[in-house]
Every structure is written in C-alpha cells, then in structure tokens.
Amino acid sequence: MKITLAKTSPLLQRDFVFGVATASFQIEGAADSREACIWDTFCATPGRIKDGSDGLVACDHVNRWRDDIELIAALGVDAYRFSIAWGRVIRADGSINQAGLDFYIQLLDALKARNIKAFVTLYHWDLPQYLQDEGGWLNRGIAYKFAEYADVVSRAFGDRVYSYATLNEPFCSAYLGYEAGIHAPGVQNRQQGRQVAHHLLLAHGLAMQVLQRNAPQALNGIVLNFSPCHPASSSAADIRAADMADQYHNQWYIQPLLEGCYPDLLTQLPAAEQPQITAGDMAIIAQPLDFIGVNYYTRTVYRANSKGWFSDVPPTAPPLTDMGWEIYPQGLTEVLLAMHRRYNLPPVYITENGAAMPDTLLHNQVADAERVSYFQQHLQATEAAITAGMRIDGYFAWSLMDNFEWAEGYAKRFGIVYVDYATQQRTLKTSAIALRELFAGRQK
C-alpha cells in the first residue's frame, strides 16, 4: 500500500518537515535510573491501568536508543520529536543527574550526526513524584521549578536542539488528570483542574522566557491538542453546548497564549470553580511563540445536559480506531482553518497525528492498511489547510513505535513500528514502509 500526494503538493516541498514522535514515559523504561513520577504511582494503584501494566521497562529505549536512532534514520525523516523525563535530569534533592542529561545529549548528538532535527518536549505528563508530594501542579511554585528545569536542560543541550516545546497537551494534564481523573494523578475536581491548567500555562510562560534567553536559535513554543466540537443536533441547546465545549477544551489553552485572556466561559463558572489568577500572570503566559504544535486525532460531538453544561456523545458508527475514536480527517482541516481565521498565529506544526489499530504480527509483517489510509487522509487534510492559505511547516506521525498507552497500558498500538514487548523486537508495519516511500520520493 502507498501514500500518494500530488507532485505539486506543498507537503512535498523541500522545506516541509516530516517526522515521527514519542514520549519519555511511554518508551524509555530504565525506571531505576530516574526518579519515580506520577505515572509510576498511578500504575501501582490497582484498577487504574486497564491491563494492569506499568512503564518500568516499556520499550527499553534507554538501553536500545542506538538501534532506535538507526531505525528512525532509515525511515528517511527530517525530524524526531521526543520528550525529556524531568526525573531523569533532576533528582529529588534538587541536584542534577548528569548521567540522565548525558543520555539525552548522546541522543541529540546522534540525531545531529544524521542531520535529523531534534524537536524536544520538556514536559509530556511525567511529573516527578517528589514534586507531586509538594502539591504537584496545584502548587504555584511548581511553575517556577519548571522554569529552573528548562534552564538546566537548555543550557546543557546548547545548540543541539532545533525546537523546544514547553508542554505537551496541557489539556490532558489538567482535564484528564484533575477533572475526569482517568490520567495521573487521578483527581476529579473541577476547581483543581482549572487551577492546574492555569499553573501549567504559567509554567509555559516562565519557561519560554528561559528558552528565548538560553536557546534563541531554537524554535520555542508549545504543543496543544484540538478536537472540533460538533453539536449532536441542530437544536439551539446542543449548538450552545458544543460552543461551550470548544471554549472549555480548545480555546481555554490557546486563547491565553495568543490573546492573554481566558474564554468568556470562565465567567460562567461558579466563583468557587474559577482558577486563582495573580496580577501579571496573563502577560507571562502570553509570551511570543516561535511555533504552535497541533495534535489531532478525532472530532467530538456534544449535547446539552440537564445541568446547563455539555456532555459528549461517544461515536458508534464506523470507521472507528481501536481506541473507539471516529476517523474524521476533515476535522483536522476544520480546526486548523478555524485557528487561522481567529488568531494571529505563529508557524504551525502538526506535532501528533495517528491511530491505534488492532495490529497483528504475522510472518514478520504487520499489514495495517487502515492506518495507511488514516495517514493518507490526514496528510491530505493538512494539505487542504495549506492550500486555503495557512502556514504549516511540518507533520509528525504518532507514534514511532508501539508503547505504553497511558491508562490503556500496552493494549493499544499507535506505532508505525510494531514492538514485541516480550523480546523488544521492532518490526516495520506497512504504514512505516508507506511513509518511508513517501519521504523518499520528495524533491531534494
């Protein structure tokens, strides 16, 4: 199977960046050489992870990184997006773990030697447990510790990094971690969720100031996830519910960054559920950005509920991914162009896009035709946004390899590379081969 784009496609131009992405806790393993994080604690709590697994070994990437870099290089990508484990770099006593820093420096040097751009994410959800013990993201002081962590990392890495993202999907840390309670640390409290969201954005702003000082040559920004919010019916109540959901889940994170204020929905929350905002916070949050990363997987449908709020309507009609998510490629074009119309945007990268599928390894092959089709459709959706006048500088497939999929454990496979967790054998899926051929066929 192939992925085909028109020869004139903007995605095939020389300066468009293609990459693959991973995250530290999901692949690294080697838990004994880092501090415990909130996901270790979450995994150790019975009933939290669907298959009862953990991230102690994961894909054993810390021990197998050399082979994994060769794998990445063989795909012909321009860039590799990965995250730093905060607890691998800074110990509980505040001292720097030089061995942890050296691991990432080796990785960066290997990427540079192969002319692969390093897109580094400073925080992909794995807060050290020692900071959680101080209140975690509910503690305003953690935002300042994050800036110190950004300082340590950016000074150590020097000019090796092409791009820094402060945070990956603060929505997930705040909403899934503190309101829905299905991600670490597993809290269900709206006020805490809103407060955590604010402290995360404050941490981003503080870290941006550090990054622009220490790494002015890098593209410094943030990665947000977006899902178009559609009404379940044409009723005024459902249309209003979808708009509220869009403000609460999408605009809540991008509007403070670009306009220095939260959506109007903030004032509709009871006072007891609103975040505490200190004078000057919004100016810190709204630091100039070199780029915004957009992660996209699916759309969401909402209806009004009896509390004057919104409830999501889970999809039932195919095509669905193995996560039960609707395959809705036109939603990517929709959210991109909605952003383009509404905001004065910096350059945009699609920093994650992909699908979990029920993959089977048979005769050393994984025929994931549905994933190939998913990439084909979403690359065309990206192309449509560019054709409509939006600047998009790159696209990253999620993910490089099968890995620990958070609350789902190892049951869901997003990788373009199949991982046999018993042997750690890596096998290119059909999708990896199709992407490799697409990358190889570009104008050089």
Side-chain angles (χ1 to χ4, degrees):
M1 286 195 70
K2 291 193 173 185
I3 296 171
T4 54
L5 297 171
K7 283 195 171 71
T8 56
S9 171
L11 275 61
L12 299 181
Q13 299 308 305
R14 191 174 303 175
D15 55 352
F16 190 83
V17 174
F18 274 115
V20 288
T22 63
S24 50
F25 189 82
Q26 294 182 270
I27 68 166
E28 282 185 358
D32 57 346
S33 57
R34 61 163 170 79
E35 298 284 356
C37 76
I38 56 175
W39 275 93
D40 294 308
T41 306
F42 199 66
C43 290
T45 308
R48 290 298 202 179
I49 309 299
K50 288 190 180 170
D51 62 1
S53 64
D54 56 50
L56 299 180
V57 176
C59 303
D60 197 31
H61 173 68
V62 166
N63 294 313
R64 299 169 186 268
W65 70 268
R66 291 176 179 83
D67 290 340
D68 288 341
I69 293 292
E70 294 300 338
L71 181 69
I72 293 165
L75 291 172
V77 298
D78 306 305
Y80 174 46
R81 177 176 175 248
F82 64 100
S83 74
I84 310 302
W86 192 339
R88 196 175 291 287
V89 171
I90 300 179
R91 299 188 183 94
D93 64 5
S95 64
I96 293 170
N97 181 351
Q98 191 59 47
L101 272 179
D102 288 345
F103 163 68
Y104 294 113
I105 289 170
Q106 286 181 313
L107 195 69
L108 289 165
D109 285 343
L111 291 169
K112 197 159 197 174
R114 289 157 182 78
N115 201 29
I116 298 171
K117 297 176 174 69
F119 280 66
V120 169
T121 304
L122 292 176
Y123 185 73
H124 199 127
W125 312 350
D126 48 350
L127 187 74
Q129 183 60 41
Y130 65 79
L131 292 176
Q132 184 66 30
D133 294 342
E134 295 178 18
W137 289 112
L138 267 179
N139 177 353
R140 182 182 173 89
I142 301 299
Y144 293 86
K145 293 203 171 178
F146 181 71
E148 293 170 9
Y149 157 61
D151 184 56
V152 168
V153 168
S154 54
R155 282 192 289 110
F157 291 175
D159 63 357
R160 298 174 175 90
V161 175
Y162 184 83
S163 167
Y164 281 105
T166 53
L167 308 174
N168 178 78
E169 298 184 349
F171 159 85
C172 292
S173 301
Y175 182 78
L176 298 183
Y178 277 88
E179 292 191 44
I182 57 175
H183 278 191
V187 177
Q188 291 181 312
N189 182 299
R190 181 184 282 171
Q191 196 286 325
Q192 289 193 19
R194 295 300 94 185
Q195 194 65 56
V196 163
H198 182 68
H199 288 160
L200 282 160
L201 292 173
L202 179 65
H204 153 79
L206 293 166
M208 278 295 295
Q209 294 174 329
V210 171
L211 293 172
Q212 298 291 36
R213 183 175 68 245
N214 290 356
Q217 80 290 345
L219 293 175
N220 300 314
I222 189 171
V223 170
L224 306 176
N225 57 299
F226 292 90
S227 191
C229 299
H230 290 175
S233 76
S234 58
S235 74
D238 285 353
I239 290 170
R240 178 175 174 271
D243 176 66
M244 291 168 70
D246 179 58
Q247 290 186 58
Y248 200 72
H249 293 321
N250 293 326
Q251 310 310 323
W252 201 279
Y253 300 91
I254 187 171
Q255 192 171 338
L257 297 172
L258 298 179
E259 296 181 348
C261 62
Y262 285 107
D264 292 342
L265 188 67
L266 172 66
T267 61
Q268 296 179 39
L269 295 179
E273 294 180 354
Q274 295 181 19
Q276 295 179 344
I277 301 170
T278 300
D281 282 2
M282 302 312 292
I284 294 171
I285 290 169
Q287 295 297 306
L289 297 167
D290 297 329
F291 81 98
I292 285 180
V294 170
N295 293 354
Y296 175 82
Y297 291 95
T298 187
R299 71 163 174 166
T300 41
V301 176
Y302 292 94
R303 58 172 176 80
N305 63 26
S306 59
K307 299 173 184 173
W309 200 243
F310 53 84
S311 298
D312 69 300
V313 181
T316 54
L320 304 177
T321 71
D322 202 31
M323 294 289 287
W325 299 346
E326 180 183 6
I327 298 175
Y328 194 79
Q330 60 269 45
L332 175 55
T333 312
E334 180 186 332
V335 292
L336 289 169
L337 292 182
M339 289 168 58
H340 178 58
R341 286 190 295 268
R342 173 164 180 179
Y343 297 108
N344 182 20
L345 293 171
V348 167
Y349 288 84
I350 309 303
T351 35
E352 286 182 26
N353 180 234
M357 295 295 178
D359 299 320
T360 305
L361 181 65
L362 197 62
H363 308 305
N364 210 34
Q365 292 181 321
V366 180
D368 58 338
E370 295 91 347
R371 187 177 287 108
V372 175
S373 175
Y374 184 99
F375 283 130
Q376 168 84 53
Q377 293 174 308
H378 287 78
L379 286 165
Q380 288 174 324
T382 304
E383 181 181 83
I386 298 173
T387 303
M390 184 171 178
R391 178 176 171 180
I392 301 171
D393 286 1
Y395 175 98
F396 289 77
W398 183 270
S399 63
L400 168 65
M401 63 180 102
D402 297 332
N403 54 42
F404 179 80
E405 188 44 45
W406 308 111
E408 301 290 335
Y410 295 98
K412 306 298 182 187
R413 294 178 177 270
F414 274 88
I416 60 171
V417 175
Y418 186 92
V419 177
D420 180 326
Y421 296 111
T423 64
Q424 293 295 343
Q425 177 71 33
R426 276 79 157 136
T427 303
L428 296 187
K429 301 178 188 179
T430 299
S431 57
I433 296 165
L435 285 169
R436 184 181 66 191
E437 290 179 0
L438 175 72
F439 302 156
R442 291 176 293 166
Q443 300 174 15
K444 295 296 182 188

